[in-house]
Amino acid sequence: MGLLSDPNRRRALTKLLTRLNAPICVMCYLAGVAWFMGLAFEPFTLRTYMSENAMGSTMVEERFPAGERALATGREFAAHKKKVGGMPVDWLVKTMQSRGLEVFTQSFTRKLPFPDENKERYMVRGTNVYGILRAPRAPRTEALVLSAPCSEGNNNNQAVGLLLGLAQYFRSQIHWAKDIIFLVNEHDLIGMQAWLEGYHHTNTTGGDWSPLQGRGGSIQAALSLELSSDVITSLDLVLEGLNGQLPNLDLANLFYAFCQKIGVLCTIQGKLQRNDWDTTSGYSHAAQTMMLMVLKQASGRPWGDHGLFLRYHIEAASIRGINSFRQYKTDTTTIGRLLEGMYRKLNNLLERLHQSYFFYLMPSLSRFVSIGYYMPAFGLLAVILLLRALDLWVQLGASPPGTEDGVAGGEQVSHGVVNKPSSPGVLSILTPVVISHMTGVALYTLPILSQEMAVQHFPVSETEAVVLTAIAIYTAGLALPHNTHRLLQGEGTEEGWRVLKLVALLYLAVLLGCTALINFSLGFILALSLVPIAAFITPHTPKALSAAIMVLLSPGCTLLYCVFLFQELQETPVSLQDGWMLFLSVISQGILDHALYGSLVYPLLALLIYPCWLLLWNILFWK
């Protein structure tokens, strides 16, 4: 405190920070990247452990004897689904009723803002079927959910069969203290969104659905089951939900504990766990797993039906069957035992899961990185923006340097008259800020609003029109400096670009900081690309080289790099042409996710991040 309260010492510290500003910023950036990459090294991570005492180990043996019967039910479900060409509602209702459940249906309709060409749908109509097993030993104020989406073709038929088999087995047990809801939802996330909104009496996305006729208690936890093969070699745990939300870590710990107990091979991000962490290949494997989780979380989209439960503070995860590791095999009976054991543990909960972490990264199922370990990596990047802002503040507060004419105090002599340098006007700073955000508003609103006009004048589909319009508006923003100068009288001052950059630096620091608190992965990826150009861009750098670097590090190009990196980490590399098509698909999916489920990534990039990048672009071409 004495260092900051003493004016002389404070002045000396400020001079030191401004004199060594650039080297300190470079060191902070390298240290932030190195810190993040070091998080995958096992000695720097924590071992997972169960925090909730109610889900501790017991002597109970998990049982489920009806694995083959569940597969037969799944085949029967597939036959009826093929016969009716969709969800066999009547058959599901009769089957659930025969298992002693209270069965209800919910119809829903949803019109997409533009056709989803990936799944070939525009007007979506469907029906959800759910059965409730009432708790025989409790006042029925709480509930658990087991769901299985009714997917197209032969996908997920085995999951529905196992769900019905578990319903029949659970009905014979008397120890349930919570209602158990068995849900088969149609049209994946759209159906799940309709059911959740109906269950909680909300309508945040504008869907049209019928009210639920039957409800259970307050939902404490949920699992979504995805099995598409009679032969399952491993179970993959999917955690990433809407807007980067994650379930309580105890839910992942519970899954891993039962996999270890029963002897089921388990993966996360589709990758097996390795024990050779002290080797280069072992570290690389852990780093790839963690980076896959970062990229999925940064996308902001729900990676399974469980992702929508998290919005309602319901701890949920998806369990996905994988048939790829040929030396292993897990039968349906074993998977049923695992699920029965997990629901027994969740049934013991006296309160919601809250004792473990909600913010974490997982390089493997047995290790995790807590928020206290990974936030310093982002902090090292964010402090660069504050250091550069401090340097600009000092420059603006100091007296102007001597000019080329050598007149002290920055005064200029013209025809014998001494003129003081003009200070930047409010208009010169406010104009680029307003125009940048107007461009962001256009990027957010026009692609969907102008799709009909684009289809009429160009030979493109509605989806292509939306994506190409977004790209066109994004590219048109490169002409922003020219448009800004046309609105301003005269040329900008030297102090003008410094004030504008100071505003942009502080604006970006606040944006990235708030983003990282909500979705660390998205904030960190944006900081990796935006912080270098925000720190070192000035009007005096070489225009061509600086413009090329800024374009390569723009938000759009960062998204393109992430698409290729994601494919590489999944060990499914793509060509440049296929990668470009995936990039266009990601853009359309991001806009759809925002319209259908309320994903915040697209409005964040369009309304805030892109305008901030345009401010930096305007600084480069400042006149």
Side-chain angles (χ1 to χ4, degrees):
M1 292 300 294
L3 179 64
L4 296 178
S5 59
D6 186 354
N8 294 327
R9 293 183 178 181
R10 185 169 63 247
R11 193 178 302 112
L13 178 61
T14 302
K15 289 182 179 179
L16 179 64
L17 290 177
T18 53
R19 186 172 68 251
L20 301 177
N21 197 282
I24 293 176
C25 290
V26 172
M27 290 178 60
C28 286
Y29 189 84
L30 296 177
V33 175
W35 187 295
F36 177 78
M37 295 307 298
L39 295 175
F41 191 50
E42 185 166 316
F44 297 160
T45 61
L46 301 173
R47 183 174 295 277
T48 57
Y49 58 92
M50 194 71 68
S51 300
E52 182 60 59
N53 293 328
M55 296 197 303
S57 60
T58 64
M59 301 302 292
V60 176
E61 180 182 357
E62 299 77 25
R63 293 182 180 179
F64 178 69
E68 292 301 323
R69 188 183 305 170
L71 287 178
T73 305
R75 287 189 285 268
E76 187 178 355
F77 169 78
H80 283 84
K81 183 171 71 170
K82 184 177 181 180
K83 181 179 179 180
V84 301
M87 175 86 110
V89 177
D90 295 337
W91 180 85
L92 272 174
V93 170
K94 293 178 181 178
T95 305
M96 286 187 175
Q97 287 176 343
S98 68
R99 283 155 170 76
L101 304 180
E102 296 181 18
V103 186
F104 306 94
T105 62
Q106 180 201 32
S107 59
F108 60 89
T109 304
R110 187 65 194 270
K111 182 179 179 180
L112 277 61
F114 57 90
D116 184 358
E117 294 185 350
N118 292 333
K119 297 184 178 180
E120 298 181 353
R121 58 188 183 184
Y122 181 54
M123 176 65 75
V124 179
R125 292 185 176 89
T127 305
N128 296 322
V129 180
Y130 64 102
I132 303 176
L133 174 61
R134 297 296 181 181
R137 301 174 63 89
R140 304 174 181 177
T141 58
E142 297 178 345
L144 302 173
V145 174
L146 176 61
S147 70
C150 176
S151 304
E152 297 180 355
N154 295 323
N155 296 325
N156 222 41
N157 296 330
Q158 290 81 357
V160 177
L162 182 56
L163 177 142
L164 296 174
L166 286 168
Q168 185 172 8
Y169 181 72
F170 285 4
R171 182 70 177 83
S172 64
Q173 307 298 314
I174 62 171
H175 52 258
W176 301 114
K178 295 177 172 60
D179 293 342
I180 301 181
I181 303 173
F182 298 90
L183 168 65
V184 181
N185 56 296
E186 194 174 6
H187 297 298
D188 48 75
L189 289 168
I190 295 180
M192 182 60 74
Q193 178 77 2
W195 188 83
L196 284 170
E197 289 187 345
Y199 196 90
H200 294 91
H201 301 290
T202 60
N203 193 341
T204 58
T205 58
D208 185 14
W209 37 262
S210 62
L212 299 186
Q213 300 301 316
R215 296 180 73 255
S218 174
I219 301 175
Q220 305 294 299
L223 291 178
S224 178
L225 191 60
E226 299 179 18
L227 303 175
S228 298
S229 173
D230 291 351
V231 178
I232 300 298
T233 60
S234 67
L235 295 178
D236 188 62
L237 183 66
V238 184
L239 300 172
E240 298 82 11
L242 183 66
N243 294 323
Q245 287 181 286
L246 298 172
N248 189 272
L249 186 58
D250 269 345
L251 191 62
N253 297 338
L254 182 66
F255 169 77
Y256 180 67
F258 272 100
C259 287
Q260 294 295 102
K261 180 180 180 181
I262 299 177
V264 176
L265 190 67
C266 55
T267 62
I268 186 169
Q269 314 302 337
K271 294 184 178 293
L272 290 170
Q273 182 171 308
R274 297 177 55 163
N275 297 321
D276 55 342
W277 56 266
D278 54 346
T279 64
T280 303
S281 59
Y283 166 77
S284 176
H285 182 84
Q288 291 176 20
T289 305
M290 185 181 71
M291 291 174 67
L292 271 173
M293 184 173 185
V294 167
L295 290 174
K296 285 185 175 182
Q297 187 183 19
S299 70
R301 65 185 306 261
W303 287 82
D305 286 354
H306 75 281
L308 299 178
F309 282 90
L310 301 175
R311 165 185 284 170
Y312 300 93
H313 306 287
I314 300 170
E315 309 312 317
S318 289
I319 298 177
R320 187 169 295 159
I322 296 179
N323 183 13
S324 59
F325 305 103
R326 295 301 180 185
Q327 64 272 32
Y328 302 95
K329 184 177 180 180
T330 301
D331 57 11
T332 308
T333 300
T334 305
I335 299 175
R337 288 176 56 209
L338 182 142
L339 292 171
E340 193 265 350
M342 291 185 67
Y343 274 83
R344 275 200 183 189
K345 295 290 187 180
L346 294 171
N347 182 65
N348 294 337
L349 286 175
L350 301 177
E351 52 190 347
R352 291 183 181 272
L353 291 173
H354 69 282
Q355 295 191 29
S356 193
Y357 295 87
F358 288 93
F359 300 94
Y360 53 87
L361 299 175
M362 299 192 76
S364 69
L365 274 173
S366 64
R367 315 289 299 191
F368 75 100
V369 182
S370 70
I371 185 173
Y373 282 43
Y374 64 65
M375 279 307 276
F378 173 80
L380 287 168
L381 300 181
V383 76
I384 297 174
L385 301 175
L386 301 181
L387 288 173
R388 299 304 289 174
L390 174 64
D391 185 41
L392 284 172
W393 181 263
V394 172
Q395 293 179 26
L396 290 170
S399 57
T403 62
E404 295 179 357
D405 295 331
V407 179
E411 297 178 347
Q412 298 179 353
V413 179
S414 178
H415 302 289
V417 180
V418 179
N419 298 323
K420 292 186 178 181
S422 60
S423 59
V426 176
L427 185 62
S428 64
I429 306 302
L430 188 60
T431 302
V433 174
V434 172
I435 294 181
S436 296
H437 284 81
M438 289 176 61
T439 308
V441 172
L443 178 61
Y444 176 71
T445 58
L446 291 184
I448 294 180
L449 295 179
S450 63
Q451 58 175 313
E452 294 183 1
M453 182 177 64
V455 170
Q456 292 176 358
H457 293 83
F458 300 98
V460 294
S461 65
E462 288 87 347
T463 306
E464 293 172 335
V466 170
V467 175
L468 294 178
T469 302
I471 294 177
I473 296 173
Y474 183 92
T475 307
L478 300 179
L480 176 63
H482 174 70
N483 297 330
T484 303
H485 296 320
R486 290 180 60 186
L487 295 178
L488 294 176
Q489 298 294 328
E491 296 183 353
T493 63
E494 184 71 14
E495 285 188 349
W497 72 264
R498 287 196 174 97
V499 173
L500 182 60
K501 184 175 180 180
L502 178 62
V503 172
L505 287 172
L506 296 177
Y507 184 24
L508 183 60
V510 172
L511 276 180
L512 295 180
C514 295
T515 303
L517 290 176
I518 300 172
N519 187 339
F520 164 78
S521 299
L522 179 59
F524 185 78
I525 290 175
L526 291 174
L528 280 178
S529 59
L530 293 178
V531 165
I533 58 176
F536 296 104
I537 198 68
T538 69
H540 307 302
T541 55
K543 291 290 189 293
L545 178 62
S546 299
I549 294 175
M550 282 199 66
V551 171
L552 292 176
L553 295 179
S554 65
C557 289
T558 301
L559 176 60
L560 180 62
Y561 305 148
C562 289
V563 170
F564 281 98
L565 179 60
F566 182 77
Q567 295 298 126
E568 288 290 336
L569 293 175
Q570 281 197 319
E571 300 178 2
T572 55
V574 294
S575 62
L576 290 176
Q577 182 178 0
D578 293 340
W580 175 255
M581 298 306 296
L582 280 175
F583 171 68
L584 299 180
S585 176
V586 166
I587 294 176
S588 65
Q589 195 62 50
I591 299 175
L592 273 178
D593 287 344
H594 171 60
L596 295 178
Y597 317 119
S599 173
L600 298 177
V601 174
Y602 179 66
L604 173 70
L605 295 178
L607 297 176
L608 298 174
I609 298 296
Y610 178 61
C612 191
W613 180 86
L614 285 180
L615 292 180
L616 302 174
W617 180 260
N618 202 9
I619 291 170
L620 175 62
F621 293 97
W622 186 269
K623 290 185 179 181

